[in-house]
Amino acid sequence: MQSFFQRISISVSTSALLTLAAGLCLTALCYASARQIESESARLLLENHANLQAMSAAMLPAHGMPLDANRRGALYVLLGGLLSSLLAAAYVYQLVSRNSVIARITSERTAALQFANLRLSEDIAARMRNEKSLRLRERIIEVSSTAIILCSADAPGHLIEYVNPAFERITGYAAGDVLGQRLEDVQGPDHARQDMQEITAALREQREGKAIVRNFRKDGSSYWSELFVAPVHDDGHGALSHFVVAQYDISTVMRFEQELEFQARHDILTGLANRLLLRERLEQAMAAARRSTVPVWVVFIDLDRFKFVNDTLGHGAGDSLLKLIAERLRNATREVDTVARLGGDEFVLLLPQVANNDTGQAILQRVLDAVAQPLQVAEHEFFLTCSMGVASYPDDGDSAETLIKHADIAMYRAKEQGRNHWQSYAPAMNASTLARLNLESELRHALERGQFHLVYQPQLDLCSGKMVGMEALLRWQHPSLGTIAPGDFIHLAEEMGLIVPIGAWVLHTACAQAKAWQQAGLGEVRLAVNLSARQFRQNGLLQSVKDILAATGLEARFLELELTESMMMQDVEQAIVTMGKLKTLGLQLSIDDFGTGYSSLAHLRHFPIDVLKIDKSFVSDILHSADDAAIVHAIIALAHSLRLKVIAEGVETEQQCDFLRQHGCDQMQGYLFSRPLAAPAFERLLRENNMLPA
């Protein structure tokens, strides 16, 4: 509109200018006409000048008047043109002034319209933003994973007016199933609404509230949710019209919390009770026992030779075995009993209400039988046993820690006495346990303090009587405890993991000594060294033996490694592989204490061995026991059928020697010829070149 008025203003200004120009042109034309008339009059006067001279006196007045009249006419014309111009200029000025007023009014009204348009545009934009925000909030509510319920503020029903899709997905109810229903009707049956008290109070008091409740889906299944309720007022602060309820499904969180609580009191691997839960239940059982005077048994269980599985097949196989053992322990005990795992291969049984020893011993026997059953892990079959120690409340302790400690002490006594059985705690065991702990402490430093040394026992050919070999045996000479027998510390070293460095030291020292005697010209005598079960299972065994042979310079054909039946039968396939690798070095292998284990002929013929050693327990009674004599004879026959040499250990009398010689035994060692000797004494024996009497 403003441009329209601007165009009108320009048109009026143009018209005014044109009118003024026309007036000026008319005035100029009048002035030119007057000038032309005046010029014409002057020319006529000149032409009639002569005549005028004669008649001047008489005619002057008569001729002067027309001339003046002509001038006046021209003047009038000029004045008329000027007046017309002034009138035109006044008209033009009036038009311009009016146009200026119109332009000013037009500009003011245009500015007002523009401001009104701006306000209108802002209002429209704000309304569009509000509508967009409302649509966005509607979409957010629709796609939210939180269930939203809008219900009326009218008590007491608080009827539901809207639910979002998340509510339908979580509860299983369609919107049509709950619209118009009371809010409490969708929270499950009456007996399950005790958790809704806080929400009910918030609705009644028209305030915000929250609660964790157990809800039920349409199909009857339960789930945990956290409810938030808030009042909704008209226009923000008006009358209360609705309540909005936000429902969060926290089933996963609740399950996680339950799992954390379970893990805090249970062993993660096996699901058994852990030390914390065991202590709690033991305290409860002792409190019950004080009221009923019925004893409570605490049984400490340790698996025998379990470390073999971990060292051979890895921790994965060990974990699988522990799970199997845990399940067997559950099945062997009663519902009132507690089975706990303290860690590693250590378990504890809590046996309340043990009215008599027969009941408790029956449970322990079931445990022994269950553990002894074959265990299948992947393609391997294992046979494990366990040792158990028993402490009872109130006789053996009045606290949980004391009972567990005493049961542990009794378990170690069971291991010392042969394993695969149980021992009850006795106060005298404390002294034995303290001595064992002291021995363990000293054993950790014995190697670095140089307290170990080797002795050598000769092996002789029964046909020629010549010395053909020697067995290196470990001894521990303690500065204050004196000489400690191998049976007192070898099993400790095995359990403590010290046997590997000790065994490596034995092999290196013995090989170096044998090489030194060879270089001294004392003969090429075969050296036999025992390998422990842990050494045999270690991954670096082959490389360790190669390095020791290389470092000492002893040829592999002069080295014989002695293995036991039990270490090979724990995993026959792996044992065959390991022995095969050792044989590639060129050394010899023998089975020590043959006949005391449980190897079968089927397995024996697959072992790449060279020698069988008959255990001294059979040799000692061959003259008095027909069974032992038959066993020795059978072992000799079996070995020869497999093209193996036979060495008899523990030969102490000539009669035993004669029996072995008569039945074809190849070699012997024992006190009949020589006790184990320290290196200097054995060197003298080599120099004397003594022989076994024929």
Side-chain angles (χ1 to χ4, degrees):
M1 181 175 289
Q2 184 177 6
S3 60
F4 172 74
F5 284 108
Q6 287 177 350
R7 288 196 298 272
I8 292 178
S9 177
I10 292 172
S11 299
V12 171
S13 300
T14 304
S15 300
L17 291 174
L18 291 176
T19 303
L20 179 61
L24 292 175
C25 289
L26 180 61
T27 302
L29 182 62
C30 292
Y31 179 77
S33 298
R35 291 291 298 176
Q36 184 177 3
I37 293 173
E38 184 179 358
S39 299
E40 185 64 25
S41 298
R43 183 181 64 77
L44 291 176
L45 288 175
L46 289 176
E47 288 179 355
N48 295 311
H49 183 270
N51 296 326
L52 290 175
Q53 291 290 332
M55 298 174 63
S56 59
M59 297 183 63
L60 181 57
H63 289 283
M65 290 181 64
L67 181 60
D68 292 335
N70 288 336
R71 290 181 177 177
R72 284 196 300 270
L75 183 59
Y76 291 153
V77 171
L78 180 60
L79 291 175
L82 291 175
L83 183 60
S84 297
S85 297
L86 291 173
L87 290 174
Y91 177 72
V92 169
Y93 175 76
Q94 182 181 7
L95 289 178
V96 171
S97 298
R98 183 180 179 184
N99 182 54
S100 176
V101 172
I102 293 173
R104 179 176 56 79
I105 295 173
T106 301
S107 177
E108 291 175 354
R109 292 183 178 180
T110 300
L113 288 174
Q114 287 178 341
F115 180 74
N117 285 338
L118 178 61
R119 293 296 302 272
L120 180 61
S121 299
E122 290 176 349
D123 291 343
I124 292 173
R127 180 172 296 180
M128 291 179 66
R129 286 195 300 270
N130 290 336
E131 291 178 354
K132 183 178 180 180
S133 177
L134 288 174
R135 288 195 299 270
L136 177 61
R137 293 174 186 175
E138 289 176 359
R139 290 197 301 271
I140 291 174
I141 293 175
E142 291 293 319
V143 302
S144 172
S145 61
T146 302
I148 303 296
I149 306 170
L150 187 64
C151 61
S152 170
D154 296 334
H158 301 293
L159 302 182
I160 297 174
E161 297 182 4
Y162 168 81
V163 293
N164 69 341
F167 174 88
E168 298 177 304
R169 183 176 64 255
I170 293 173
T171 65
Y173 289 102
D177 297 335
V178 297
L179 295 183
Q181 300 295 318
R182 296 185 307 168
L183 177 63
E184 62 181 10
D185 290 340
V186 299
Q187 304 303 321
D190 294 339
H191 64 82
R193 298 178 186 171
Q194 62 272 18
D195 298 331
M196 286 287 294
Q197 295 176 355
E198 171 61 23
I199 300 299
T200 303
L203 294 174
R204 184 176 58 253
E205 299 169 10
Q206 298 183 356
R207 59 174 175 81
E208 295 182 356
K210 66 177 181 178
I212 295 178
V213 300
R214 187 183 183 190
N215 293 119
F216 292 84
R217 299 183 179 90
K218 185 177 181 180
D219 60 7
S221 61
S222 63
Y223 66 98
W224 288 96
S225 65
E226 189 172 16
L227 293 183
F228 290 86
V229 62
V232 179
H233 297 271
D234 291 337
D235 298 327
H237 301 285
L240 177 66
S241 61
H242 293 85
F243 283 98
V244 62
V245 180
Q247 184 179 29
Y248 298 91
D249 185 354
I250 60 172
S251 299
T252 302
V253 176
M254 294 296 288
R255 284 195 300 270
F256 181 70
E257 290 181 354
Q258 291 171 356
E259 289 177 2
L260 288 179
E261 184 177 355
F262 180 86
Q263 292 176 6
R265 287 175 165 77
H266 292 80
D267 176 58
I268 297 176
L269 177 65
T270 63
L272 300 177
N274 63 7
R275 188 181 295 272
L276 176 62
L277 183 56
L278 173 65
R279 185 182 294 109
E280 292 177 357
R281 292 187 178 176
L282 185 50
E283 295 288 350
Q284 296 169 2
M286 289 189 297
R290 284 192 289 270
R291 294 189 298 269
S292 65
T293 68
V294 178
V296 175
W297 281 19
V298 175
V299 184
F300 201 105
I301 302 175
D302 186 83
L303 300 180
D304 301 326
R305 298 191 304 274
F306 173 75
K307 292 181 175 62
F308 166 78
V309 179
N310 272 343
D311 294 342
T312 304
L313 299 182
H315 292 285
D319 290 346
S320 299
L321 278 185
L322 290 174
K323 292 178 183 178
L324 293 174
I325 293 296
E327 186 61 29
R328 292 183 180 185
L329 293 178
R330 287 194 192 98
N331 295 334
T333 52
R334 305 166 300 176
E335 290 187 4
V336 296
D337 300 332
T338 297
V339 182
R341 176 174 176 249
L342 301 187
D345 60 342
E346 295 179 340
F347 298 86
V348 172
L349 303 182
L350 170 59
L351 308 180
Q353 305 172 13
V354 182
N356 54 69
N357 288 341
D358 293 340
T359 301
Q361 290 177 3
I363 297 173
L364 298 184
Q365 188 59 52
R366 288 201 302 269
V367 169
L368 284 179
D369 296 340
V371 173
Q373 295 298 314
L375 292 162
Q376 189 73 32
V377 176
E379 300 177 354
H380 303 276
E381 187 177 62
F382 296 93
F383 294 88
L384 293 181
T385 59
C386 66
S387 300
M388 297 185 290
V390 181
S392 66
Y393 174 84
D395 295 339
D396 299 327
D398 57 0
S399 69
E401 291 299 329
T402 301
L403 289 171
I404 294 173
K405 174 185 175 183
H406 288 172
D408 188 16
I409 292 173
M411 181 273 297
Y412 274 108
R413 175 57 62 89
K415 280 187 176 292
E416 292 173 355
Q417 295 184 353
R419 308 187 179 193
N420 195 28
H421 71 289
W422 70 82
Q423 279 287 322
S424 296
Y425 173 77
M429 293 180 180
N430 275 332
S432 176
T433 301
L434 291 175
R436 172 192 169 93
L437 293 175
N438 183 51
L439 194 63
E440 288 181 357
S441 177
E442 294 297 325
L443 183 58
R444 294 184 185 277
H445 307 288
L447 183 60
E448 64 186 50
R449 292 172 180 172
Q451 295 174 359
F452 291 126
H453 68 276
L454 296 182
V455 294
Y456 302 87
Q457 187 170 35
Q459 297 171 338
L460 299 103
D461 185 273
L462 284 173
C463 293
S464 65
K466 294 182 178 180
M467 186 188 302
V468 293
M470 57 182 172
E471 181 179 4
L473 301 170
L474 180 63
R475 295 292 183 265
W476 181 10
Q477 186 66 38
H478 192 274
S480 59
L481 300 177
T483 301
I484 302 173
D488 293 335
F489 70 86
I490 292 296
H491 71 281
L492 278 180
E494 187 91 21
E495 293 177 5
M496 298 167 62
L498 300 176
I499 197 64
V500 172
I502 292 175
W505 177 86
V506 169
L507 184 59
H508 187 280
T509 303
C511 288
Q513 183 63 75
K515 181 62 177 177
W517 285 332
Q518 288 180 4
Q519 291 175 338
L522 299 180
E524 296 180 341
V525 179
R526 184 185 68 248
L527 170 68
V529 179
N530 288 279
L531 277 187
S532 70
R534 185 179 287 268
Q535 279 181 285
F536 185 69
R537 294 192 299 266
Q538 67 170 328
N539 294 328
L541 174 62
L542 183 67
Q543 188 61 47
S544 176
V545 174
K546 287 175 62 176
D547 293 343
I548 289 174
L549 290 174
T552 60
L554 183 67
E555 295 182 37
R557 63 191 179 94
F558 295 115
L559 177 62
E560 176 186 305
L561 297 180
E562 295 187 1
L563 314 173
T564 63
E565 281 184 276
S566 58
M567 76 169 63
M568 291 185 295
M569 292 306 299
Q570 288 175 344
D571 188 349
V572 174
E573 291 80 4
Q574 184 60 41
I576 292 174
V577 172
T578 303
M579 287 189 289
K581 292 179 179 178
L582 291 172
K583 287 293 292 182
T584 61
L585 299 179
L587 50 76
Q588 297 186 53
L589 297 175
S590 66
I591 295 182
D592 193 19
D593 301 333
F594 185 76
T596 60
Y598 44 85
S599 60
S600 66
L601 180 61
H603 289 138
L604 188 62
R605 63 190 180 90
H606 290 104
F607 292 151
I609 57 177
D610 305 283
V611 179
L612 287 183
K613 298 188 70 174
I614 303 175
D615 186 66
K616 62 182 179 181
S617 62
F618 298 119
V619 175
S620 61
D621 287 333
I622 55 175
L623 299 178
H624 308 289
S625 171
D627 291 338
D628 287 349
I631 291 173
V632 171
H633 183 268
I635 292 174
I636 294 172
L638 172 62
H640 288 167
S641 68
L642 296 174
R643 298 179 296 278
L644 303 176
K645 295 289 186 180
V646 182
I647 300 178
E649 294 183 299
V651 180
E652 298 181 354
T653 67
E654 293 183 1
Q655 292 80 5
Q656 293 170 349
C657 185
D658 290 340
F659 179 91
L660 294 170
R661 187 183 288 115
Q662 290 172 8
H663 288 82
C665 184
D666 300 296
Q667 300 171 19
M668 62 78 67
Q669 72 180 80
Y671 287 1
L672 174 62
F673 183 77
S674 174
R675 292 176 176 271
L677 302 172
F682 192 83
E683 182 175 334
R684 288 194 296 270
L685 186 64
L686 288 174
R687 293 185 183 278
E688 293 171 358
N689 197 21
N690 292 336
M691 297 178 61
L692 183 68

